[in-house]
Coordinates of all heavy atoms in Angstrom, one line a residue:
M245 N 11.7 5.7 1.0 CA 12.2 4.4 0.6 C 11.9 4.0 -0.8 O 12.5 3.1 -1.3 CB 11.7 3.4 1.5 CG 12.1 3.6 3.0 SD 11.4 2.6 4.3 CE 11.5 1.0 3.7
G246 N 11.1 4.7 -1.5 CA 10.8 4.4 -2.9 C 9.5 3.7 -3.2 O 8.8 3.3 -2.2
P247 N 9.1 3.5 -4.4 CA 7.8 2.9 -4.8 C 7.6 1.5 -4.4 O 6.5 1.1 -4.0 CB 7.8 3.1 -6.3 CG 9.2 3.2 -6.8 CD 9.9 3.9 -5.6
W248 N 8.6 0.7 -4.4 CA 8.4 -0.8 -4.1 C 8.2 -1.0 -2.6 O 7.4 -1.8 -2.2 CB 9.6 -1.6 -4.6 CG 9.6 -1.6 -6.1 CD1 10.5 -1.0 -6.9 CD2 8.7 -2.2 -7.0 NE1 10.2 -1.2 -8.2 CE2 9.1 -2.0 -8.3 CE3 7.6 -3.0 -6.8 CZ2 8.4 -2.4 -9.4 CZ3 6.9 -3.5 -7.9 CH2 7.3 -3.2 -9.2
Y249 N 9.0 -0.3 -1.8 CA 8.8 -0.4 -0.4 C 7.4 0.2 0.0 O 6.7 -0.3 0.9 CB 9.9 0.3 0.4 CG 11.1 -0.5 0.6 CD1 12.2 -0.4 -0.3 CD2 11.2 -1.5 1.6 CE1 13.3 -1.2 -0.2 CE2 12.3 -2.3 1.7 CZ 13.4 -2.1 0.9 OH 14.5 -2.9 1.0
S250 N 7.0 1.3 -0.6 CA 5.7 1.9 -0.3 C 4.6 1.0 -0.7 O 3.6 0.9 0.0 CB 5.6 3.3 -1.1 OG 4.4 3.9 -0.7
L251 N 4.7 0.3 -1.8 CA 3.7 -0.7 -2.2 C 3.6 -1.8 -1.2 O 2.6 -2.2 -0.8 CB 4.1 -1.2 -3.6 CG 3.2 -2.4 -4.2 CD1 1.7 -1.9 -4.3 CD2 3.7 -2.9 -5.5
L252 N 4.8 -2.3 -0.8 CA 4.8 -3.4 0.2 C 4.2 -2.9 1.5 O 3.4 -3.6 2.1 CB 6.3 -3.8 0.4 CG 6.5 -5.0 1.5 CD1 5.7 -6.2 1.1 CD2 8.0 -5.2 1.6
C253 N 4.6 -1.7 2.0 CA 4.0 -1.1 3.2 C 2.5 -1.0 3.1 O 1.8 -1.4 4.0 CB 4.7 0.2 3.4 SG 4.2 1.0 5.0
A254 N 2.0 -0.5 2.0 CA 0.5 -0.3 1.9 C -0.2 -1.6 1.8 O -1.3 -1.8 2.4 CB 0.2 0.5 0.6
T255 N 0.4 -2.6 1.2 CA -0.2 -4.0 1.1 C -0.3 -4.6 2.5 O -1.3 -5.1 2.9 CB 0.6 -4.9 0.1 OG1 0.6 -4.2 -1.1 CG2 0.0 -6.2 0.0
I256 N 0.8 -4.6 3.2 CA 0.8 -5.2 4.6 C -0.2 -4.4 5.5 O -0.9 -5.1 6.2 CB 2.3 -5.1 5.2 CG1 3.2 -6.0 4.4 CG2 2.2 -5.6 6.6 CD1 4.7 -5.9 4.7
I257 N -0.2 -3.1 5.5 CA -1.1 -2.4 6.3 C -2.6 -2.7 5.9 O -3.4 -3.0 6.8 CB -0.9 -0.8 6.1 CG1 0.4 -0.4 6.8 CG2 -2.1 -0.1 6.8 CD1 0.8 1.0 6.5
G258 N -2.8 -2.8 4.6 CA -4.2 -3.2 4.2 C -4.6 -4.5 4.6 O -5.7 -4.7 5.1
V259 N -3.7 -5.5 4.5 CA -4.1 -6.9 4.9 C -4.3 -6.9 6.4 O -5.2 -7.5 6.9 CB -2.9 -7.9 4.5 CG1 -3.1 -9.2 5.2 CG2 -2.9 -8.0 3.0
L260 N -3.4 -6.2 7.2 CA -3.6 -6.2 8.7 C -4.9 -5.5 9.1 O -5.6 -6.0 10.0 CB -2.4 -5.5 9.3 CG -1.1 -6.3 9.3 CD1 0.0 -5.4 9.9 CD2 -1.2 -7.6 10.1
R261 N -5.2 -4.4 8.4 CA -6.5 -3.7 8.7 C -7.7 -4.6 8.4 O -8.7 -4.6 9.1 CB -6.5 -2.4 8.0 CG -5.6 -1.4 8.5 CD -5.6 -0.1 7.7 NE -6.9 0.6 7.8 CZ -7.4 1.2 6.8 NH1 -6.8 1.3 5.6 NH2 -8.6 1.8 7.0
M262 N -7.6 -5.3 7.3 CA -8.7 -6.2 6.9 C -8.9 -7.3 7.9 O -10.0 -7.7 8.3 CB -8.5 -6.7 5.5 CG -8.8 -5.6 4.4 SD -8.2 -6.1 2.7 CE -8.7 -7.7 2.5
A263 N -7.8 -7.9 8.3 CA -7.8 -9.1 9.2 C -8.2 -8.7 10.6 O -9.0 -9.4 11.2 CB -6.4 -9.7 9.2
F264 N -7.7 -7.6 11.1 CA -7.9 -7.3 12.5 C -8.9 -6.2 12.8 O -9.4 -6.1 14.0 CB -6.5 -6.9 13.2 CG -5.5 -8.1 13.2 CD1 -4.4 -8.0 12.5 CD2 -5.8 -9.2 13.9 CE1 -3.5 -9.0 12.5 CE2 -4.9 -10.3 13.9 CZ -3.7 -10.2 13.2
M265 N -9.2 -5.4 11.8 CA -10.2 -4.3 12.1 C -11.5 -4.5 11.3 O -12.3 -3.6 11.4 CB -9.5 -3.0 11.7 CG -8.3 -2.6 12.6 SD -7.6 -1.1 12.0 CE -6.2 -0.9 13.1
G266 N -11.6 -5.5 10.5 CA -12.8 -5.8 9.8 C -13.0 -4.8 8.7 O -14.2 -4.6 8.2
I267 N -12.0 -4.1 8.2 CA -12.1 -3.2 7.1 C -12.3 -3.9 5.8 O -11.8 -5.0 5.5 CB -10.8 -2.3 7.0 CG1 -10.4 -1.7 8.3 CG2 -10.9 -1.3 5.9 CD1 -11.4 -0.7 8.8
P268 N -13.2 -3.4 4.9 CA -13.5 -4.1 3.6 C -12.2 -4.0 2.7 O -11.3 -3.3 3.0 CB -14.7 -3.3 3.0 CG -14.7 -2.0 3.7 CD -14.1 -2.2 5.1
P269 N -12.3 -4.6 1.6 CA -11.2 -4.6 0.6 C -10.7 -3.2 0.2 O -9.7 -3.1 -0.5 CB -11.6 -5.4 -0.6 CG -12.7 -6.3 0.0 CD -13.3 -5.6 1.1
L270 N -11.5 -2.2 0.6 CA -11.1 -0.8 0.3 C -9.7 -0.5 0.9 O -9.0 0.4 0.5 CB -12.1 0.2 0.8 CG -13.5 0.1 0.1 CD1 -14.4 1.1 0.8 CD2 -13.4 0.5 -1.3
A271 N -9.4 -1.3 2.0 CA -8.1 -1.1 2.6 C -6.9 -1.3 1.6 O -5.8 -0.8 1.8 CB -7.9 -2.0 3.8
L272 N -7.2 -2.2 0.6 CA -6.1 -2.4 -0.4 C -6.3 -1.6 -1.6 O -5.4 -0.9 -2.1 CB -6.1 -3.9 -0.8 CG -5.5 -4.9 0.2 CD1 -5.7 -6.3 -0.2 CD2 -4.1 -4.6 0.5
T273 N -7.5 -1.6 -2.1 CA -7.8 -0.8 -3.4 C -7.5 0.7 -3.2 O -7.2 1.4 -4.1 CB -9.2 -1.0 -4.0 OG1 -10.1 -0.6 -3.0 CG2 -9.4 -2.5 -4.3
G274 N -7.7 1.1 -1.9 CA -7.6 2.6 -1.6 C -6.2 2.9 -1.2 O -5.9 4.0 -0.7
A275 N -5.2 2.0 -1.3 CA -3.9 2.3 -0.9 C -2.8 1.9 -1.9 O -1.9 2.7 -2.1 CB -3.6 1.5 0.4
V276 N -2.8 0.7 -2.4 CA -1.7 0.2 -3.2 C -1.4 1.0 -4.5 O -0.2 1.2 -4.8 CB -1.8 -1.3 -3.5 CG1 -1.9 -2.1 -2.2 CG2 -3.1 -1.6 -4.3
F277 N -2.4 1.4 -5.2 CA -2.1 2.1 -6.5 C -1.5 3.5 -6.2 O -0.5 3.9 -6.8 CB -3.4 2.3 -7.3 CG -4.0 1.0 -7.6 CD1 -5.1 0.6 -6.9 CD2 -3.5 0.1 -8.6 CE1 -5.7 -0.7 -7.2 CE2 -4.1 -1.1 -8.8 CZ -5.2 -1.5 -8.1
G278 N -2.0 4.2 -5.2 CA -1.5 5.5 -4.8 C -0.1 5.4 -4.2 O 0.8 6.2 -4.5
A279 N 0.2 4.4 -3.4 CA 1.5 4.2 -2.8 C 2.5 4.0 -3.8 O 3.6 4.7 -3.8 CB 1.4 3.0 -1.8
F280 N 2.3 3.2 -4.8 CA 3.3 2.9 -5.8 C 3.5 4.1 -6.7 O 4.6 4.5 -7.0 CB 2.9 1.7 -6.6 CG 3.9 1.3 -7.7 CD1 5.1 0.7 -7.3 CD2 3.7 1.5 -9.0 CE1 6.1 0.3 -8.2 CE2 4.7 1.2 -9.9 CZ 5.8 0.6 -9.5
L281 N 2.4 4.7 -7.2 CA 2.5 5.8 -8.1 C 3.1 7.1 -7.4 O 3.8 7.8 -8.1 CB 1.1 6.2 -8.7 CG 1.1 7.1 -9.9 CD1 1.9 6.6 -11.0 CD2 -0.4 7.4 -10.3
S282 N 2.9 7.2 -6.1 CA 3.5 8.3 -5.4 C 5.1 8.2 -5.5 O 5.7 9.2 -5.7 CB 3.1 8.2 -3.9 OG 3.7 9.2 -3.1
G283 N 5.6 7.0 -5.2 CA 7.0 6.8 -5.3 C 7.6 6.9 -6.7 O 8.6 7.5 -6.9
V284 N 6.8 6.5 -7.7 CA 7.2 6.6 -9.1 C 7.3 8.1 -9.5 O 8.3 8.5 -10.1 CB 6.3 5.8 -10.0 CG1 6.6 6.1 -11.5 CG2 6.5 4.3 -9.8
L285 N 6.3 8.8 -9.2 CA 6.3 10.2 -9.6 C 7.3 11.1 -8.8 O 7.9 12.0 -9.3 CB 4.9 10.9 -9.5 CG 3.9 10.4 -10.5 CD1 2.6 11.2 -10.3 CD2 4.4 10.5 -11.9
Y286 N 7.6 10.7 -7.6 CA 8.6 11.4 -6.8 C 10.0 11.2 -7.4 O 10.7 12.1 -7.6 CB 8.6 10.8 -5.3 CG 9.7 11.4 -4.5 CD1 9.6 12.7 -4.0 CD2 10.8 10.7 -4.2 CE1 10.6 13.3 -3.2 CE2 11.8 11.3 -3.4 CZ 11.7 12.6 -2.9 OH 12.7 13.1 -2.2
R287 N 10.2 9.9 -7.8 CA 11.5 9.7 -8.5 C 11.6 10.3 -9.9 O 12.6 10.8 -10.3 CB 11.8 8.2 -8.5 CG 12.2 7.6 -7.2 CD 12.8 6.3 -7.3 NE 13.3 5.9 -6.0 CZ 13.6 4.6 -5.7 NH1 13.5 3.7 -6.6 NH2 14.0 4.3 -4.5

């Protein structure tokens, strides 16, 4: 789906994991940059 959808997906997953699974903020910092850059480099 591309970099923007991947960024949105990673952000939503991170927020849900933090809220419901007690995961620290690593759920966001360990996902959003890679998700976006993955889509950018693929394109």
Side-chain angles (χ1 to χ4, degrees):
M245 299 170 48
W248 294 107
Y249 278 97
S250 185
L251 176 63
L252 179 60
C253 183
T255 302
I256 294 170
I257 291 171
V259 168
L260 290 174
R261 289 177 63 218
M262 287 169 40
F264 296 115
M265 296 177 180
I267 307 295
L270 296 175
L272 285 175
T273 60
V276 296
F277 303 103
F280 185 73
L281 193 55
S282 176
V284 168
L285 289 187
Y286 177 75
R287 285 197 175 163

